[in-house]
mmCIF file of all heavy atoms in Angstrom:
data_model
loop_
_atom_site.group_PDB
_atom_site.id
_atom_site.type_symbol
_atom_site.label_atom_id
_atom_site.label_comp_id
_atom_site.label_asym_id
_atom_site.label_seq_id
_atom_site.Cartn_x
_atom_site.Cartn_y
_atom_site.Cartn_z
ATOM 1 N N LEU A 37 -2.035 -4.118 -7.952
ATOM 2 C CA LEU A 37 -0.716 -4.599 -7.649
ATOM 3 C C LEU A 37 -0.613 -6.133 -7.626
ATOM 4 O O LEU A 37 0.427 -6.673 -7.287
ATOM 5 C CB LEU A 37 -0.246 -4.122 -6.248
ATOM 6 C CG LEU A 37 -0.052 -2.565 -6.166
ATOM 7 C CD1 LEU A 37 0.117 -2.178 -4.630
ATOM 8 C CD2 LEU A 37 1.139 -2.113 -6.964
ATOM 9 N N TRP A 38 -1.664 -6.789 -8.067
ATOM 10 C CA TRP A 38 -1.685 -8.260 -8.028
ATOM 11 C C TRP A 38 -0.495 -8.888 -8.781
ATOM 12 O O TRP A 38 0.139 -9.860 -8.317
ATOM 13 C CB TRP A 38 -2.945 -8.875 -8.437
ATOM 14 C CG TRP A 38 -2.985 -10.331 -8.394
ATOM 15 C CD1 TRP A 38 -2.999 -11.213 -9.402
ATOM 16 C CD2 TRP A 38 -2.854 -11.085 -7.174
ATOM 17 N NE1 TRP A 38 -2.946 -12.495 -8.959
ATOM 18 C CE2 TRP A 38 -2.844 -12.464 -7.552
ATOM 19 C CE3 TRP A 38 -2.890 -10.792 -5.825
ATOM 20 C CZ2 TRP A 38 -2.795 -13.483 -6.649
ATOM 21 C CZ3 TRP A 38 -2.679 -11.842 -4.914
ATOM 22 C CH2 TRP A 38 -2.683 -13.151 -5.307
ATOM 23 N N PRO A 39 -0.183 -8.305 -9.974
ATOM 24 C CA PRO A 39 1.047 -8.895 -10.672
ATOM 25 C C PRO A 39 2.372 -8.854 -9.934
ATOM 26 O O PRO A 39 3.270 -9.505 -10.168
ATOM 27 C CB PRO A 39 1.134 -8.044 -11.981
ATOM 28 C CG PRO A 39 -0.292 -7.560 -12.137
ATOM 29 C CD PRO A 39 -0.799 -7.348 -10.754
ATOM 30 N N LEU A 40 2.375 -7.998 -8.841
ATOM 31 C CA LEU A 40 3.593 -7.783 -8.028
ATOM 32 C C LEU A 40 3.490 -8.564 -6.696
ATOM 33 O O LEU A 40 4.278 -8.312 -5.822
ATOM 34 C CB LEU A 40 3.849 -6.344 -7.873
ATOM 35 C CG LEU A 40 4.002 -5.483 -9.104
ATOM 36 C CD1 LEU A 40 4.140 -4.027 -8.731
ATOM 37 C CD2 LEU A 40 5.068 -5.981 -10.045
ATOM 38 N N ALA A 41 2.510 -9.412 -6.548
ATOM 39 C CA ALA A 41 2.153 -10.017 -5.287
ATOM 40 C C ALA A 41 3.381 -10.763 -4.679
ATOM 41 O O ALA A 41 3.661 -10.651 -3.400
ATOM 42 C CB ALA A 41 1.017 -10.934 -5.296
ATOM 43 N N ARG A 42 4.195 -11.350 -5.487
ATOM 44 C CA ARG A 42 5.287 -12.191 -4.978
ATOM 45 C C ARG A 42 6.672 -11.362 -4.966
ATOM 46 O O ARG A 42 7.681 -11.868 -4.498
ATOM 47 C CB ARG A 42 5.468 -13.517 -5.767
ATOM 48 C CG ARG A 42 4.248 -14.370 -5.740
ATOM 49 C CD ARG A 42 3.826 -14.826 -4.323
ATOM 50 N NE ARG A 42 2.630 -15.640 -4.335
ATOM 51 C CZ ARG A 42 2.020 -16.068 -3.227
ATOM 52 N NH1 ARG A 42 2.586 -15.838 -2.098
ATOM 53 N NH2 ARG A 42 0.892 -16.687 -3.328
ATOM 54 N N GLN A 43 6.600 -10.238 -5.563
ATOM 55 C CA GLN A 43 7.815 -9.373 -5.646
ATOM 56 C C GLN A 43 8.200 -8.816 -4.311
ATOM 57 O O GLN A 43 7.363 -8.371 -3.612
ATOM 58 C CB GLN A 43 7.654 -8.346 -6.725
ATOM 59 C CG GLN A 43 8.946 -7.595 -7.077
ATOM 60 C CD GLN A 43 8.815 -6.756 -8.260
ATOM 61 O OE1 GLN A 43 8.054 -7.184 -9.157
ATOM 62 N NE2 GLN A 43 9.387 -5.560 -8.341
ATOM 63 N N PRO A 44 9.541 -8.782 -4.000
ATOM 64 C CA PRO A 44 9.985 -8.295 -2.685
ATOM 65 C C PRO A 44 9.464 -6.783 -2.638
ATOM 66 O O PRO A 44 9.680 -6.002 -3.532
ATOM 67 C CB PRO A 44 11.447 -8.341 -2.780
ATOM 68 C CG PRO A 44 11.687 -9.478 -3.624
ATOM 69 C CD PRO A 44 10.688 -9.449 -4.681
ATOM 70 N N ALA A 45 8.803 -6.485 -1.512
ATOM 71 C CA ALA A 45 8.186 -5.183 -1.404
ATOM 72 C C ALA A 45 9.301 -4.042 -1.477
ATOM 73 O O ALA A 45 9.001 -2.956 -2.014
ATOM 74 C CB ALA A 45 7.390 -5.016 -0.067
ATOM 75 N N ARG A 46 10.480 -4.330 -0.986
ATOM 76 C CA ARG A 46 11.506 -3.294 -1.014
ATOM 77 C C ARG A 46 12.092 -3.034 -2.378
ATOM 78 O O ARG A 46 12.873 -2.139 -2.572
ATOM 79 C CB ARG A 46 12.562 -3.576 0.071
ATOM 80 C CG ARG A 46 12.071 -3.585 1.498
ATOM 81 C CD ARG A 46 13.197 -3.837 2.444
ATOM 82 N NE ARG A 46 12.677 -3.698 3.832
ATOM 83 C CZ ARG A 46 13.470 -3.693 4.921
ATOM 84 N NH1 ARG A 46 14.728 -3.865 4.806
ATOM 85 N NH2 ARG A 46 12.913 -3.610 6.145
ATOM 86 N N SER A 47 11.811 -3.922 -3.349
ATOM 87 C CA SER A 47 12.337 -3.657 -4.678
ATOM 88 C C SER A 47 11.334 -2.935 -5.507
ATOM 89 O O SER A 47 11.628 -2.565 -6.722
ATOM 90 C CB SER A 47 12.600 -5.043 -5.328
ATOM 91 O OG SER A 47 11.394 -5.748 -5.662
ATOM 92 N N LEU A 48 10.142 -2.608 -4.980
ATOM 93 C CA LEU A 48 9.135 -1.795 -5.796
ATOM 94 C C LEU A 48 9.569 -0.388 -5.966
ATOM 95 O O LEU A 48 10.349 0.092 -5.154
ATOM 96 C CB LEU A 48 7.735 -1.907 -5.079
ATOM 97 C CG LEU A 48 7.203 -3.322 -4.849
ATOM 98 C CD1 LEU A 48 5.818 -3.223 -4.126
ATOM 99 C CD2 LEU A 48 6.963 -4.069 -6.243
ATOM 100 N N SER A 49 8.949 0.231 -6.974
ATOM 101 C CA SER A 49 9.233 1.687 -7.150
ATOM 102 C C SER A 49 8.567 2.459 -5.999
ATOM 103 O O SER A 49 7.727 1.926 -5.211
ATOM 104 C CB SER A 49 8.702 2.174 -8.465
ATOM 105 O OG SER A 49 7.252 2.133 -8.419
ATOM 106 N N GLY A 50 8.947 3.757 -5.858
ATOM 107 C CA GLY A 50 8.317 4.572 -4.797
ATOM 108 C C GLY A 50 6.794 4.650 -4.892
ATOM 109 O O GLY A 50 6.084 4.526 -3.918
ATOM 110 N N GLY A 51 6.283 4.848 -6.154
ATOM 111 C CA GLY A 51 4.849 4.840 -6.283
ATOM 112 C C GLY A 51 4.209 3.540 -5.977
ATOM 113 O O GLY A 51 3.115 3.526 -5.326
ATOM 114 N N GLU A 52 4.799 2.406 -6.348
ATOM 115 C CA GLU A 52 4.265 1.104 -6.065
ATOM 116 C C GLU A 52 4.278 0.851 -4.554
ATOM 117 O O GLU A 52 3.365 0.285 -4.012
ATOM 118 C CB GLU A 52 5.077 0.032 -6.774
ATOM 119 C CG GLU A 52 4.771 0.079 -8.298
ATOM 120 C CD GLU A 52 5.870 -0.781 -9.135
ATOM 121 O OE1 GLU A 52 6.859 -1.087 -8.524
ATOM 122 O OE2 GLU A 52 5.629 -0.989 -10.281
ATOM 123 N N ARG A 53 5.358 1.283 -3.867
ATOM 124 C CA ARG A 53 5.393 1.040 -2.413
ATOM 125 C C ARG A 53 4.330 1.821 -1.779
ATOM 126 O O ARG A 53 3.696 1.398 -0.798
ATOM 127 C CB ARG A 53 6.754 1.410 -1.894
ATOM 128 C CG ARG A 53 7.906 0.491 -2.169
ATOM 129 C CD ARG A 53 9.143 0.666 -1.335
ATOM 130 N NE ARG A 53 9.673 2.050 -1.444
ATOM 131 C CZ ARG A 53 10.571 2.348 -2.343
ATOM 132 N NH1 ARG A 53 11.001 1.443 -3.175
ATOM 133 N NH2 ARG A 53 10.986 3.579 -2.386
ATOM 134 N N GLN A 54 4.097 3.059 -2.261
ATOM 135 C CA GLN A 54 3.001 3.887 -1.594
ATOM 136 C C GLN A 54 1.652 3.287 -1.824
ATOM 137 O O GLN A 54 0.850 3.269 -0.927
ATOM 138 C CB GLN A 54 3.147 5.315 -2.193
ATOM 139 C CG GLN A 54 2.263 6.326 -1.235
ATOM 140 C CD GLN A 54 2.921 6.659 0.066
ATOM 141 O OE1 GLN A 54 3.889 5.971 0.490
ATOM 142 N NE2 GLN A 54 2.392 7.561 0.795
ATOM 143 N N ARG A 55 1.360 2.761 -3.037
ATOM 144 C CA ARG A 55 0.120 2.113 -3.317
ATOM 145 C C ARG A 55 0.029 0.840 -2.469
ATOM 146 O O ARG A 55 -1.049 0.471 -1.973
ATOM 147 C CB ARG A 55 0.043 1.774 -4.759
ATOM 148 C CG ARG A 55 -0.385 2.973 -5.622
ATOM 149 C CD ARG A 55 -0.019 2.903 -7.053
ATOM 150 N NE ARG A 55 -0.614 1.718 -7.636
ATOM 151 C CZ ARG A 55 -0.127 1.016 -8.672
ATOM 152 N NH1 ARG A 55 1.039 1.317 -9.223
ATOM 153 N NH2 ARG A 55 -0.728 -0.041 -9.146
ATOM 154 N N LEU A 56 1.098 0.050 -2.230
ATOM 155 C CA LEU A 56 1.088 -1.031 -1.348
ATOM 156 C C LEU A 56 0.820 -0.673 0.050
ATOM 157 O O LEU A 56 0.037 -1.359 0.717
ATOM 158 C CB LEU A 56 2.418 -1.759 -1.460
ATOM 159 C CG LEU A 56 2.586 -3.065 -0.505
ATOM 160 C CD1 LEU A 56 1.531 -4.091 -0.758
ATOM 161 C CD2 LEU A 56 3.957 -3.638 -0.693
ATOM 162 N N ALA A 57 1.320 0.445 0.497
ATOM 163 C CA ALA A 57 1.020 0.875 1.863
ATOM 164 C C ALA A 57 -0.422 1.264 1.971
ATOM 165 O O ALA A 57 -1.050 0.964 3.060
ATOM 166 C CB ALA A 57 1.947 2.074 2.190
ATOM 167 N N LEU A 58 -0.915 1.868 0.974
ATOM 168 C CA LEU A 58 -2.414 2.096 0.969
ATOM 169 C C LEU A 58 -3.227 0.854 0.980
ATOM 170 O O LEU A 58 -4.241 0.760 1.714
ATOM 171 C CB LEU A 58 -2.823 2.985 -0.239
ATOM 172 C CG LEU A 58 -2.297 4.427 -0.243
ATOM 173 C CD1 LEU A 58 -2.414 5.082 -1.556
ATOM 174 C CD2 LEU A 58 -3.110 5.249 0.894
ATOM 175 N N ALA A 59 -2.861 -0.072 0.104
ATOM 176 C CA ALA A 59 -3.563 -1.400 0.103
ATOM 177 C C ALA A 59 -3.456 -2.104 1.511
ATOM 178 O O ALA A 59 -4.403 -2.598 1.944
ATOM 179 C CB ALA A 59 -3.007 -2.298 -0.982
ATOM 180 N N ARG A 60 -2.330 -2.069 2.132
ATOM 181 C CA ARG A 60 -2.112 -2.671 3.399
ATOM 182 C C ARG A 60 -2.999 -2.049 4.428
ATOM 183 O O ARG A 60 -3.557 -2.764 5.296
ATOM 184 C CB ARG A 60 -0.582 -2.609 3.758
ATOM 185 C CG ARG A 60 -0.194 -3.219 5.012
ATOM 186 C CD ARG A 60 1.297 -3.284 5.160
ATOM 187 N NE ARG A 60 1.859 -1.926 5.228
ATOM 188 C CZ ARG A 60 3.170 -1.730 5.226
ATOM 189 N NH1 ARG A 60 4.086 -2.663 5.261
ATOM 190 N NH2 ARG A 60 3.671 -0.460 5.318
ATOM 191 N N ALA A 61 -3.056 -0.769 4.462
ATOM 192 C CA ALA A 61 -3.950 -0.021 5.336
ATOM 193 C C ALA A 61 -5.420 -0.276 5.091
ATOM 194 O O ALA A 61 -6.244 -0.519 5.989
ATOM 195 C CB ALA A 61 -3.637 1.474 5.283
ATOM 196 N N TRP A 62 -5.826 -0.241 3.833
ATOM 197 C CA TRP A 62 -7.225 -0.418 3.462
ATOM 198 C C TRP A 62 -7.691 -1.855 3.753
ATOM 199 O O TRP A 62 -8.897 -2.025 4.153
ATOM 200 C CB TRP A 62 -7.486 -0.086 1.988
ATOM 201 C CG TRP A 62 -8.907 -0.205 1.648
ATOM 202 C CD1 TRP A 62 -9.888 0.724 1.921
ATOM 203 C CD2 TRP A 62 -9.561 -1.318 1.012
ATOM 204 N NE1 TRP A 62 -11.117 0.241 1.486
ATOM 205 C CE2 TRP A 62 -10.928 -1.005 0.843
ATOM 206 C CE3 TRP A 62 -9.114 -2.522 0.568
ATOM 207 C CZ2 TRP A 62 -11.874 -1.863 0.359
ATOM 208 C CZ3 TRP A 62 -9.973 -3.377 -0.146
ATOM 209 C CH2 TRP A 62 -11.400 -2.970 -0.111
ATOM 210 N N ALA A 63 -6.825 -2.870 3.746
ATOM 211 C CA ALA A 63 -7.164 -4.232 4.046
ATOM 212 C C ALA A 63 -7.669 -4.340 5.473
ATOM 213 O O ALA A 63 -8.396 -5.285 5.748
ATOM 214 C CB ALA A 63 -6.007 -5.184 3.758
ATOM 215 N N LEU A 64 -7.231 -3.397 6.294
ATOM 216 C CA LEU A 64 -7.678 -3.512 7.738
ATOM 217 C C LEU A 64 -9.113 -2.939 7.909
ATOM 218 O O LEU A 64 -9.643 -2.960 8.949
ATOM 219 C CB LEU A 64 -6.721 -2.651 8.582
ATOM 220 C CG LEU A 64 -5.263 -3.116 8.585
ATOM 221 C CD1 LEU A 64 -4.428 -2.053 9.315
ATOM 222 C CD2 LEU A 64 -5.128 -4.465 9.164
ATOM 223 N N ARG A 65 -9.712 -2.348 6.809
ATOM 224 C CA ARG A 65 -11.081 -1.814 6.872
ATOM 225 C C ARG A 65 -11.169 -0.704 7.921
ATOM 226 O O ARG A 65 -12.099 -0.745 8.747
ATOM 227 C CB ARG A 65 -12.168 -2.899 7.087
ATOM 228 C CG ARG A 65 -12.110 -3.961 6.073
ATOM 229 C CD ARG A 65 -12.466 -3.535 4.674
ATOM 230 N NE ARG A 65 -12.692 -4.632 3.758
ATOM 231 C CZ ARG A 65 -11.799 -5.243 3.027
ATOM 232 N NH1 ARG A 65 -10.528 -4.774 3.029
ATOM 233 N NH2 ARG A 65 -12.170 -6.180 2.200
ATOM 234 N N PRO A 66 -10.280 0.227 7.949
ATOM 235 C CA PRO A 66 -10.438 1.360 8.936
ATOM 236 C C PRO A 66 -11.520 2.183 8.683
ATOM 237 O O PRO A 66 -11.922 2.458 7.449
ATOM 238 C CB PRO A 66 -9.024 2.053 8.809
ATOM 239 C CG PRO A 66 -8.700 1.824 7.294
ATOM 240 C CD PRO A 66 -9.143 0.463 6.943
ATOM 241 N N ARG A 67 -12.136 2.765 9.679
ATOM 242 C CA ARG A 67 -13.177 3.785 9.506
ATOM 243 C C ARG A 67 -12.624 5.121 9.016
ATOM 244 O O ARG A 67 -13.192 5.931 8.409
ATOM 245 C CB ARG A 67 -13.919 3.940 10.764
ATOM 246 C CG ARG A 67 -14.431 2.757 11.453
ATOM 247 C CD ARG A 67 -15.243 1.760 10.621
ATOM 248 N NE ARG A 67 -15.984 0.865 11.459
ATOM 249 C CZ ARG A 67 -15.522 -0.358 11.770
ATOM 250 N NH1 ARG A 67 -14.376 -0.813 11.244
ATOM 251 N NH2 ARG A 67 -16.283 -1.103 12.559
ATOM 252 N N ILE A 68 -11.266 5.407 9.447
ATOM 253 C CA ILE A 68 -10.613 6.605 9.184
ATOM 254 C C ILE A 68 -9.174 6.252 8.828
ATOM 255 O O ILE A 68 -8.519 5.456 9.442
ATOM 256 C CB ILE A 68 -10.759 7.621 10.304
ATOM 257 C CG1 ILE A 68 -10.160 8.989 9.933
ATOM 258 C CG2 ILE A 68 -10.099 7.170 11.577
ATOM 259 C CD1 ILE A 68 -10.586 10.123 10.864
ATOM 260 N N LEU A 69 -8.633 6.939 7.666
ATOM 261 C CA LEU A 69 -7.297 6.723 7.271
ATOM 262 C C LEU A 69 -6.553 8.005 7.247
ATOM 263 O O LEU A 69 -6.983 8.973 6.609
ATOM 264 C CB LEU A 69 -7.368 6.045 5.882
ATOM 265 C CG LEU A 69 -5.982 5.718 5.216
ATOM 266 C CD1 LEU A 69 -5.175 4.800 6.047
ATOM 267 C CD2 LEU A 69 -6.178 5.218 3.827
ATOM 268 N N TYR A 70 -5.481 8.036 8.047
ATOM 269 C CA TYR A 70 -4.608 9.212 7.992
ATOM 270 C C TYR A 70 -3.508 9.069 7.029
ATOM 271 O O TYR A 70 -2.815 8.004 6.979
ATOM 272 C CB TYR A 70 -3.970 9.386 9.426
ATOM 273 C CG TYR A 70 -5.009 9.461 10.526
ATOM 274 C CD1 TYR A 70 -5.040 8.546 11.540
ATOM 275 C CD2 TYR A 70 -5.846 10.585 10.580
ATOM 276 C CE1 TYR A 70 -5.971 8.602 12.553
ATOM 277 C CE2 TYR A 70 -6.791 10.682 11.624
ATOM 278 C CZ TYR A 70 -6.827 9.743 12.548
ATOM 279 O OH TYR A 70 -7.711 9.775 13.624
ATOM 280 N N LEU A 71 -3.264 10.050 6.204
ATOM 281 C CA LEU A 71 -2.225 9.963 5.103
ATOM 282 C C LEU A 71 -1.291 11.166 5.243
ATOM 283 O O LEU A 71 -1.798 12.339 5.142
ATOM 284 C CB LEU A 71 -2.849 10.011 3.729
ATOM 285 C CG LEU A 71 -3.901 8.947 3.502
ATOM 286 C CD1 LEU A 71 -4.585 9.203 2.104
ATOM 287 C CD2 LEU A 71 -3.330 7.548 3.478
ATOM 288 N N ASP A 72 -0.052 10.934 5.499
ATOM 289 C CA ASP A 72 0.939 11.958 5.596
ATOM 290 C C ASP A 72 1.759 12.183 4.363
ATOM 291 O O ASP A 72 2.525 11.226 3.964
ATOM 292 C CB ASP A 72 1.882 11.589 6.786
ATOM 293 C CG ASP A 72 2.841 12.815 7.092
ATOM 294 O OD1 ASP A 72 2.510 13.911 6.748
ATOM 295 O OD2 ASP A 72 3.937 12.538 7.749
ATOM 296 N N GLU A 73 1.516 13.158 3.586
ATOM 297 C CA GLU A 73 2.191 13.560 2.395
ATOM 298 C C GLU A 73 2.253 12.311 1.415
ATOM 299 O O GLU A 73 3.362 11.816 1.017
ATOM 300 C CB GLU A 73 3.553 14.032 2.695
ATOM 301 C CG GLU A 73 3.673 15.337 3.471
ATOM 302 C CD GLU A 73 3.353 16.577 2.575
ATOM 303 O OE1 GLU A 73 3.079 16.391 1.421
ATOM 304 O OE2 GLU A 73 3.376 17.675 3.159
ATOM 305 N N PRO A 74 1.166 11.761 0.983
ATOM 306 C CA PRO A 74 1.118 10.464 0.271
ATOM 307 C C PRO A 74 1.792 10.560 -1.144
ATOM 308 O O PRO A 74 2.154 9.524 -1.680
ATOM 309 C CB PRO A 74 -0.335 10.121 0.236
ATOM 310 C CG PRO A 74 -1.042 11.454 0.315
ATOM 311 C CD PRO A 74 -0.221 12.253 1.247
ATOM 312 N N THR A 75 1.980 11.795 -1.658
ATOM 313 C CA THR A 75 2.528 11.848 -3.071
ATOM 314 C C THR A 75 3.844 12.571 -2.997
ATOM 315 O O THR A 75 4.335 12.911 -4.093
ATOM 316 C CB THR A 75 1.600 12.532 -4.008
ATOM 317 O OG1 THR A 75 1.338 13.983 -3.619
ATOM 318 C CG2 THR A 75 0.254 11.827 -4.088
#
Protein backbone atom coordinates (compact mmCIF):
# COMPACT_ATOMS: atom_id res chain seq x y z
CA LEU A 1 0.00 0.00 0.00
CA TRP A 2 2.98 2.35 -0.03
CA PRO A 3 1.90 4.05 -3.30
CA LEU A 4 -1.31 5.01 -1.46
CA ALA A 5 0.43 6.32 1.67
CA ARG A 6 -0.78 9.92 1.21
CA GLN A 7 -4.18 9.07 -0.21
CA PRO A 8 -7.15 9.70 2.11
CA ALA A 9 -7.95 6.38 3.74
CA ARG A 10 -11.69 6.84 3.29
CA SER A 11 -11.26 7.14 -0.48
CA LEU A 12 -9.66 3.69 -0.79
CA SER A 13 -11.54 0.71 -2.18
CA GLY A 14 -13.04 -1.82 0.21
CA GLY A 15 -10.18 -4.26 -0.30
CA GLU A 16 -7.56 -1.54 0.14
CA ARG A 17 -9.22 -0.35 3.35
CA GLN A 18 -9.23 -3.88 4.72
CA ARG A 19 -5.53 -4.32 3.87
CA LEU A 20 -4.84 -0.96 5.51
CA ALA A 21 -6.69 -2.12 8.62
CA LEU A 22 -4.52 -5.26 8.63
CA ALA A 23 -1.36 -3.19 8.19
CA ARG A 24 -2.44 -0.85 10.98
CA ALA A 25 -3.00 -3.79 13.31
CA TRP A 26 0.19 -5.61 12.33
CA ALA A 27 2.29 -2.47 12.91
CA LEU A 28 1.43 -2.87 16.61
CA ARG A 29 3.24 -6.24 16.60
CA PRO A 30 0.40 -8.11 18.37
CA ARG A 31 0.98 -11.65 19.56
CA ILE A 32 -2.58 -12.50 18.54
CA LEU A 33 -4.78 -10.90 15.88
CA TYR A 34 -8.57 -11.27 15.85
CA LEU A 35 -10.20 -10.90 12.42
CA ASP A 36 -13.96 -10.59 12.05
CA GLU A 37 -15.13 -11.60 8.55
CA PRO A 38 -12.08 -10.04 6.87
CA THR A 39 -13.21 -10.78 3.29
